[in-house]
Amino acid sequence: MRALLAKIRNTLAPPASLPAAARMERLSDRRGLPAVDPGPQAVVKACTAWLCAAQDHSSSHDGGVARDYNLLTGWSSSYPETTGYIIPSMITVAQRTGDAALHGRARRMLDWCVAIQFPQGGFQGGKIDSLPRVPVTFNTGQILLGLAAGVAAYGAPYQDAMQRAARWLRDSQDADGCWRRHPTPFARPGDKAYETHVAWGLFEADRIAPGHGYGAAGLRQVDWALSKQRPNGWFASNCLDNPLLPLTHTIGYALRGLLEAHRFAGRADLLDAAVRTATGIANAVAADGYLAGRLGPDFQPGADYACLTGSVQNAHCLFMLYRLTGERRYLDAGRRLNRYVRHSICIDGPAHARGGVKGSFPVDGDYGAWAYLNWAAKFCIDANLLELELAREAGDA
């Protein structure tokens, strides 16, 4: 199936008018993954440096992180949603390395998020210069993760913004737990099971400011999302654009939200639901770590490229499940996923690519085509840091 899909993609190859850098990257990817695995430590360092470059080179010059570097158009403007959840990763690396400059970068991201918050507490969808500029549930939940991390690390300056975002999410939720009032204008309309990742933001806010019903609202959404889960763990209504073939990116969102709900509430049914989804994902990971960028209702491949973001997101979730269950298959599958993505990362190439993580491998796959995505680098950092932790716990080299 992979060979057939690749043949179709090659038949539909883009014209030779592509910029030279894009043509070269596409040609390189068509030859297959590079042979060298830089290793988790080198990749964490390189991806962190790339995110610093993305903050410095954002075309909007505002303290946020550029959404991407696109081989066709260059650096983009800042992206509020993902800047929000890059903040916890930047703080984590800063704390582990003692790098005061990284703390300064996290504070600039936080200050920018506070400055662009709507008075009612929500945050816009899309890039900072995208229209329409309206508050969006999902984006607010992701920025809430950053605000909660900011309060935990730096205290009072971010408390009010966190509370307003959490209240806005709590109060805009429908009675059944789903959020429908403030959808993104940049994705296909419809309910989204992957907003369990929004619920996670509420769990973090509840830990810092209990007694406001934030965690209870998050659990209502997760319970609603479970009504979309099939017995084999696959979720309906769980994609940006194609619910029948969801991206591994949004599958990873949904799974992480389940795991965080279990971590918050300790409910066995939530762990069971996460195990079913994770087992389907682990079984879909090839021996070389390849995971198709879209997965159908039986977790069968639905794309001829890897969504690198989804691969590292799901690797992180599989590592979390390994810690919870002790099941070696989750650890092994997570390592294979991480290794595949690391092979795709250049740590000593051109400045725009060094430490960047592409949306797709090959680069012209239909998720984040031709671009290095800031959230791909963020999730790659997270997954490789957790892999290193597990190795240390096991006494591995």
Side-chain angles (χ1 to χ4, degrees):
M1 177 61 75
R2 285 170 67 179
L4 175 60
L5 291 170
K7 183 177 180 180
I8 293 170
R9 179 170 291 282
N10 285 332
T11 302
L12 300 174
S17 59
L18 285 170
R23 291 201 308 273
M24 290 174 61
E25 197 66 30
R26 179 177 182 273
L27 179 61
S28 174
D29 285 2
R30 290 297 166 197
R31 295 190 184 114
L33 283 174
V36 176
D37 174 0
Q41 289 179 322
V43 161
V44 168
K45 182 177 179 180
C47 288
T48 302
W50 187 92
L51 286 175
C52 293
Q55 186 180 34
D56 292 341
H57 290 92
S58 168
S59 65
S60 49
H61 308 292
D62 47 24
V65 182
R67 179 189 184 276
D68 57 64
Y69 180 88
N70 191 295
L71 290 166
L72 310 184
T73 57
W75 289 105
S76 78
S77 57
S78 296
Y79 198 25
E81 170 200 330
T82 57
T83 296
Y85 62 44
I86 286 168
I87 291 164
S89 301
M90 193 64 69
I91 292 172
T92 295
V93 177
Q95 290 171 338
R96 294 188 184 197
T97 61
D99 189 334
L102 295 181
H103 279 296
R105 288 182 177 278
R107 295 293 294 264
R108 290 201 297 278
M109 295 177 202
L110 281 159
D111 292 342
W112 178 66
C113 288
V114 171
I116 64 171
Q117 188 176 27
F118 289 113
Q120 297 85 353
F123 289 89
Q124 71 179 82
K127 294 181 290 184
I128 189 61
D129 48 3
S130 297
L131 297 173
R133 188 171 178 268
V134 294
V136 173
T137 295
F138 188 79
N139 303 62
T140 302
Q142 307 323 292
I143 296 170
L144 180 56
L145 289 167
L147 293 172
V151 175
Y154 309 123
Y158 308 108
Q159 181 85 33
D160 177 67
M162 184 201 77
Q163 290 267 28
R164 285 192 289 125
R167 283 197 300 268
W168 186 82
L169 288 169
R170 179 198 64 193
D171 296 345
S172 63
Q173 187 180 47
D174 287 355
D176 64 355
C178 184
W179 281 289
R180 299 184 179 90
R181 301 181 206 178
H182 301 285
T184 178
F186 306 109
R188 177 174 169 168
D191 297 349
K192 307 297 185 189
Y194 62 77
E195 289 189 340
T196 57
H197 217 262
V198 175
W200 176 20
L202 287 168
F203 302 146
E204 295 302 326
D206 195 281
R207 289 187 174 99
I208 292 171
H212 300 283
Y214 302 148
L219 289 173
R220 283 196 296 275
Q221 191 281 336
V222 173
D223 285 332
W224 171 85
L226 288 178
S227 72
K228 301 294 183 181
Q229 189 185 40
R230 297 188 178 184
N232 70 347
W234 187 86
F235 280 90
S237 304
N238 195 40
C239 193
L240 298 168
D241 57 4
N242 185 354
L244 296 178
L245 287 173
L247 291 156
T248 55
H249 172 46
T250 50
I251 294 172
Y253 274 151
L255 178 55
R256 183 64 182 272
L258 281 182
L259 287 164
E260 295 296 341
H262 169 72
R263 195 165 72 89
F264 179 78
R267 284 170 34 188
D269 64 316
L270 297 174
L271 179 59
D272 177 68
V275 164
R276 286 185 281 127
T277 300
T279 299
I281 293 164
N283 291 340
V285 179
D288 66 354
Y290 173 82
L291 177 64
R294 294 179 183 271
L295 298 174
D298 294 316
F299 291 93
Q300 78 275 16
D304 66 333
Y305 63 88
C307 170
L308 299 179
T309 308
S311 291
V312 285
Q313 284 178 270
N314 284 292
H316 194 283
C317 291
L318 291 170
F319 291 149
M320 291 178 71
L321 265 177
Y322 169 68
R323 269 186 165 165
L324 289 166
T325 67
E327 295 243 6
R328 181 82 188 198
R329 58 181 169 160
Y330 299 134
L331 175 65
D332 292 342
R335 284 175 166 172
R336 294 199 307 275
L337 286 166
N338 264 2
R339 190 179 305 119
Y340 184 96
V341 176
R342 287 197 303 266
H343 274 277
S344 77
I345 297 171
C346 172
I347 63 169
D348 57 4
H352 67 265
R354 189 165 55 243
V357 184
K358 288 174 274 198
S360 296
F361 189 89
V363 69
D364 58 340
D366 76 5
Y367 182 75
W370 308 108
Y372 299 86
L373 307 176
N374 73 18
W375 59 100
K378 171 265 190 315
F379 286 117
C380 190
I381 291 168
D382 294 348
N384 279 277
L385 284 176
L386 186 49
E387 181 174 351
L388 285 167
E389 283 183 24
L390 293 172
R392 284 194 292 270
E393 290 169 8
D396 293 350

